[in-house]
């Protein structure tokens, strides 16, 4: 074995992973129980050319310097020691592991039982030595997007462009396809300010999917927390630069990039699962293990609160270090803007004394995020639950975090499908869910508002199916949630019935308008604007085909819906109040630059709502009037929420002389434009809908007029 040690470097100063320098590379690997760490070096064809044993261990870390190794070269690691899974030891001679700090891989993980067990050397990707500074950002900086201007569009890198004929065939389904000028133009037309990507960390499909001939399309089964998956690159070995190019082009157009990250488990599975990286270096620390009756740790088994076979142990020092280092790498070296954390409660579970693996709002992970300037200033969104004991913690995260608000999702879905007795709950959700995110301690932007997400029905299926239809997944329709609060509006699945389809479109517009108009951060599911259907499948994680891919269908109905979303977002963008409603009793934020607002609620007859009205299960309508306090020039808005199917008259609240209510948005029309822009004092609605009015001086033309005129012009030109 060839080796060279620099006698002038304190290896404790060498970061974990590989550090290129003049004449070679420093190596640093965490593996406290290994007897030896051997680095295998490969040529470009992945043929092994030499092996180097790391010569020095200090505490839990192995160190060494390998001369002649340079940026672009390939390597893998071998952790030698005792193999005894009953004691949590997975050291195997000649078994190559992926460096947990590897920043690029030679190829994606493509699992089959035969390849893993019989052709392992060919199966395992090799790490690539990287230079983080080797990319031209062309002076493009991250966009300065405030939380109140976030409008998130969730999409899958592959599925977003596989069927987009404007994207060159070789770029479809890749990072470079996602940042194609036509895709970005579409997002900007919608008003999107941030894309949230399904996981792009290098991942592997579960063994049971391989047996079914399927793959993990969503990517929620990571192996490497630092490396982009090569399958999303035109040139797999250039995935890092292609990812950076995508980020740069989004930033050039003022769009932030949020990564959906899975730090709660890995693709190594539990007992009997694969040994690919963390498990082979230090399963004791990287994973959670159950306790025996005497309180000792049962290293022979894996404690699972994720439903995926294992739970990553962010309660341990090396693991919280791994996660925080990974986040910093993506924020600083890869220039992303933030993260959405899958099953985030798992990252916050700690054990103290008799308390075992419970959610702790003062955990090391959350403290570490707060103390790291790059992380603390980024966009942080928690999925505030996992599947373990006491795993539901909506409202339990600290200041600076947003949370997926499933109570918003369920209430808005139920309200617009016609469930009774929800008027008070619905209004609470659209006003920022201040019963969950208390105004004394949390921002009104804490609520991530959504009605559709990747895991569930699409918007079109939400109004087209009463029940899930997941037979294509091969699990006899047992997988996926049964609690969808959906409706088929009279017929299961597609139909040519005009009345049913009209009702479905009305519901879709009401659901989207509720999401965008509500206080909090709006989240849209990619493809909903094109009426994307998964044929009733509400768990299409293994459907890497047209069931999941976005069909760029510019039918007249979809073009109207895109115009509807665009107009709604333009109105929201032009309004400080709609983006962040600072009520006079909201003590979380005080600003001399923003007006404080007051909100009043009225019945259709113009009389203020009383407790009896709110508690009446038959109350299906309400008028919101919100306006600036002690500021004649400030904004004032009137919004009608009508759940009734039958015609209903509304008397708008009176206004001071010289001012008038003008309608600027109506979900009862295909494109959201009101039928009239004249001043009104009363209106009649004929279907469940939302109508938005703005108070203006009757002698001054405000931005509302230009919004309406511009939107009408754009719609006319498209037609």
């Amino acid at each position: 074995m060839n080796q060279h040690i620099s006698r002038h470097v304190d290896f404790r100063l060498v970061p974990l992973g590989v550090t290129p320098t003049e004449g070679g590379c420093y190596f640093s690997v965490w593996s406290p129980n290994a007897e030896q760490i051997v680095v295998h070096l490969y040529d470009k064809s992945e043929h092994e050319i030499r092996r180097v044993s790391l010569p020095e261990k200090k505490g839990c870390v192995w160190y060494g310097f390998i001369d002649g190794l340079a940026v672009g070269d390939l390597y893998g690691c071998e952790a030698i020691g005792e193999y005894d899974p009953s004691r949590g030891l997975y050291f195997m001679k000649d078994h190559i592991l992926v460096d947990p700090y590897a920043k690029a891989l030679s190829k994606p993980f493509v699992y089959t039982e035969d390849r893993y067990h019989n052709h392992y050397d060919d199966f395992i990707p090799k790490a690539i030595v990287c230079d983080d500074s080797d990319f031209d950002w062309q002076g493009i900086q991250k966009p300065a997007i405030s939380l109140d201007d976030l409008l998130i569009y969730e999409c899958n890198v592959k599925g977003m462009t596989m069927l987009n004929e404007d994207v060159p065939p070789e770029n479809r389904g890749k990072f470079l396809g996602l940042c194609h000028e036509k895709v970005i133009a579409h997002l900007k037309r919608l008003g999107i300010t941030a894309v949230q990507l399904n996981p792009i960390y290098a991942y592997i499909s579960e063994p049971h999917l391989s047996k079914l001939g399927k793959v993990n399309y969503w990517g929620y089964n990571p192996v490497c927390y630092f490396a982009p998956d090569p399958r999303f690159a035109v040139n797999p070995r250039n995935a890092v630069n292609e990812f950076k190019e995508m980020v740069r082009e989004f930033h050039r157009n003022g769009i932030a990039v949020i990564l959906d990250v899975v730090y709660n488990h890995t693709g190594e599975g539990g007992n009997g699962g694969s040994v690919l990286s963390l498990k082979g270096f230090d399963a004791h620390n990287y994973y959670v293990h159950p306790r025996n009756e005497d309180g000792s740790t049962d290293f022979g088994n894996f404690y699972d609160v994720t439903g995926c076979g294992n739970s990553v142990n962010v309660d341990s020092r090396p693991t919280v270090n791994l996660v925080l280092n990974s986040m910093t790498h993506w924020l600083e070296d890869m220039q992303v803007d933030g993260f959405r954390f899958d099953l985030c409660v798992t990252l916050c579970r700690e054990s103290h004394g008799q308390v075992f693996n419970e959610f702790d709002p003062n955990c090391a992970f959350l403290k570490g995020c707060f103390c790291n300037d790059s992380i603390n200033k980024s966009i942080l969104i928690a999925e505030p639950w996992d599947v373990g004991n006491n795993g539901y913690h909506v409202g339990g995260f600290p200041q600076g975090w947003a949370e997926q608000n499933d109570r918003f999702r369920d209430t808005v879905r139920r309200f617009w499908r016609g469930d009774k007795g929800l008027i008070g709950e619905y209004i609470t959700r659209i006003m920022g869910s201040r019963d969950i995110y208390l105004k004394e301690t949390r921002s009104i932007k804490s609520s991530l508002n959504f009605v559709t997400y990747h895991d569930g029905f699409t918007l079109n299926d939400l109004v087209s199916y009463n029940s899930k239809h997941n037979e294509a997944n091969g699990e006899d329709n047992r997988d996926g949630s049964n609690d969808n609060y959906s409706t088929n509006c009279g017929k299961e699945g597609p139909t040519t019935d005009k009345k049913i389809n009209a009702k479905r479109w009305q519901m879709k517009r009401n659901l989207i308008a509720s999401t965008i108009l509500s206080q909090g951060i709006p989240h849209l599911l990619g493809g909903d604007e094109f009426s994307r259907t998964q044929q009733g499948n509400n768990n299409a994680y293994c459907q890497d085909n047209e069931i999941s891919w976005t069909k760029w269908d510019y039918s007249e109905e979809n073009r109207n819906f895109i115009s509807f979303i665009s107009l709604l977002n333009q109105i929201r963008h032009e309004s400080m109040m709609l983006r962040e409603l600072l009520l006079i009793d909201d003590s979380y934020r005080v600003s001399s630059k923003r007006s404080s607002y007051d909100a009043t609620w009225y019945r259709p007859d113009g009389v203020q709502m009383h407790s009896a009205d709110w508690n009446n299960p038959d109350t299906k309508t309400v008028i919101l009037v919100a306006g600036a306090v002690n500021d004649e020039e400030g904004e004032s808005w009137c919004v009608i929420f009508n759940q009734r199917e039958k015609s209903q008259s509304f008397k708008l609240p009176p206004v001071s002389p010289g001012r008038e209510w003008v309608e600027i948005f109506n979900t009862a029309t295909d494109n959201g434009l009101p039928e009239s822009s004249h001043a009104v004092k009363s209106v009649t609605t004929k279907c469940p809908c939302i109508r938005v009015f703005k108070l203006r001086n009757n002698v001054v033309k405000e931005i509302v007029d230009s919004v309406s005129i511009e939107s009408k012009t754009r719609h006319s030109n498209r037609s």
Side-chain angles (χ1 to χ4, degrees), residues 153 186 527-532 550-554 558 562:
Y153 183 96
H186 172 72
D528 278 350
E529 74 275 24
F530 291 115
S531 304
R532 184 171 72 88
T550 295
K551 182 180 180 182
W552 292 64
D553 177 10
Y554 284 105
N558 287 341
I562 291 169

Side-chain angles (χ1 to χ4, degrees), residues 619-676:
T619 299
K620 295 188 174 185
T621 56
V622 68
I623 302 173
L624 162 65
V625 174
V629 178
N630 299 323
D631 184 359
E632 285 296 322
E633 299 301 321
E635 299 179 58
S636 290
W637 296 80
C638 175
V639 185
I640 292 174
F641 301 95
N642 176 47
Q643 193 191 27
R644 292 188 181 279
E645 295 278 354
K646 297 181 179 180
S647 179
Q648 174 71 56
S649 296
F650 290 85
K651 181 180 179 181
L652 303 188
V655 296
S656 58
R659 311 196 82 186
E660 59 192 13
W661 291 117
V662 177
E663 187 169 15
I664 63 170
F665 190 80
N666 188 347
T667 66
T669 64
D670 291 343
N671 57 13
L673 290 170
E675 296 177 357
S676 171

